[in-house]
Amino acid sequence: DAGVTQSPTHLIKTRGQQVTLRCSPKSGHDTVSWYQQALGQGPQFIFQYYEEEERQRGNFPDRFSGHQFPNYSSELNVNALLLGDSALYLCASSYKPGQGFYEQYFGPGTRLTVT
Amino acid sequence: AQSVTQLDSQVPVFEEAPVELRCNYSSSVSVYLFWYVQYPNQGLQLLLKYLSGSTLVKGINGFEAEFNKSQTSFHLRKPSVHISDTAEYFCAVILSSNTGKLIFGQGTTLQVKP
């Protein structure tokens, strides 16, 4: 049973560029959430997708956007990269809210470095 | 506003000694509680969860945690640690009013010394 997978593992970008990160959820899950983890901090919620729509969003600017595909996989896009966007980006998969299952399972993350 | 506070940023302990990692939360609604572990250069692994029922919950790798509603705490314990337990530990909550979003604490680094 494959767990949550993310690609790429590492990425180096220059300020002002755009980046796309990818995530495939654990088998059976239909919901994907994205978190940003800055060095030495706890993860911060970016947004959550299910049924191919953004369902809720954390305190992140519009430069952060996403998409969910019919097979439940998801992308996180960040435009106009800033140095402060350097972080570990974590994808978590789960069942849709309201079904009585609250656990979120995390992938290994994508380490983004902005220079 | 809801928040999670992990009271110790670093906890050094000798191998085979007991350990407690402390977590307090603030919320006006009921919560579901989780502990995750993060090994170097890896993602988060779920250690244990409290959803309802018995306030003492057992997880993987010999860890357990006790939910104390009156003190709004969810401390993580292990009676005897191993070198391999060296990692970052995160306490997190989900609000019963918004079950889609995990709110994390800042993390506690457990350093197990030989």
Side-chain angles (χ1 to χ4, degrees):
Chain A
D1 177 22
V4 181
T5 60
Q6 292 186 244
S7 63
T9 305
H10 296 88
L11 209 48
I12 300 175
K13 291 287 189 178
T14 304
R15 275 177 298 176
Q17 286 188 317
Q18 179 263 345
V19 68
T20 297
L21 311 181
R22 296 177 175 83
C23 171
S24 291
K26 181 178 166 67
S27 178
H29 285 172
D30 54 12
T31 296
V32 172
S33 303
W34 287 92
Y35 293 81
Q36 181 195 65
Q37 185 181 17
L39 199 61
Q41 303 293 318
Q44 298 290 317
F45 177 79
I46 302 175
F47 42 53
Q48 182 179 73
Y49 278 82
Y50 60 88
E51 296 176 351
E52 301 179 46
E53 290 190 16
E54 182 183 299
R55 296 298 176 170
Q56 64 171 311
R57 188 179 186 91
N59 188 25
F60 280 81
D62 291 345
R63 298 187 297 108
F64 289 77
S65 63
H67 188 77
Q68 185 180 38
F69 299 94
N71 67 353
Y72 309 123
S73 67
S74 175
E75 288 181 350
L76 164 65
N77 301 293
V78 187
N79 295 321
L81 285 166
L82 303 173
L83 294 179
D85 295 331
S86 295
L88 181 67
Y89 287 85
L90 295 164
C91 168
S93 79
S94 61
Y95 296 106
K96 275 185 297 201
Q99 297 191 51
F101 299 96
Y102 305 104
E103 300 92 325
Q104 294 188 14
Y105 293 88
F106 285 80
T110 294
R111 173 73 62 187
L112 172 65
T113 302
V114 182
T115 62
Chain B
Q2 300 79 16
S3 66
V4 177
T5 302
Q6 292 184 239
L7 298 165
D8 306 291
S9 59
Q10 293 189 3
V11 174
V13 63
F14 287 105
E15 193 174 18
E16 298 183 6
V19 70
E20 178 179 80
L21 306 183
R22 297 180 293 166
C23 172
N24 285 91
Y25 67 91
S26 170
S27 174
S28 57
V29 301
S30 59
V31 298
Y32 305 107
L33 297 140
F34 305 84
W35 276 98
Y36 285 86
V37 60
Q38 186 175 37
Y39 298 103
N41 301 312
Q42 294 188 27
L44 302 176
Q45 181 182 7
L46 180 64
L47 270 179
L48 49 75
K49 65 188 182 223
Y50 173 79
L51 304 182
S52 65
S54 173
T55 56
L56 182 64
V57 293
K58 295 187 183 298
I60 62 172
N61 301 341
F63 284 94
E64 64 181 31
E66 185 157 20
F67 170 54
N68 187 319
K69 187 174 182 179
S70 62
Q71 297 187 7
T72 60
S73 68
F74 190 54
H75 300 334
L76 181 70
R77 302 185 183 101
K78 186 169 182 178
S80 176
V81 295
H82 303 290
I83 295 288
S84 59
D85 292 323
T86 295
E88 191 79 13
Y89 291 80
F90 292 96
C91 179
V93 304
I94 281 180
L95 307 180
S96 60
S97 59
N98 180 356
T99 59
K101 169 184 169 181
L102 277 164
I103 302 168
F104 284 89
Q106 293 288 82
T108 296
T109 303
L110 176 61
Q111 301 165 321
V112 181
K113 304 176 181 180

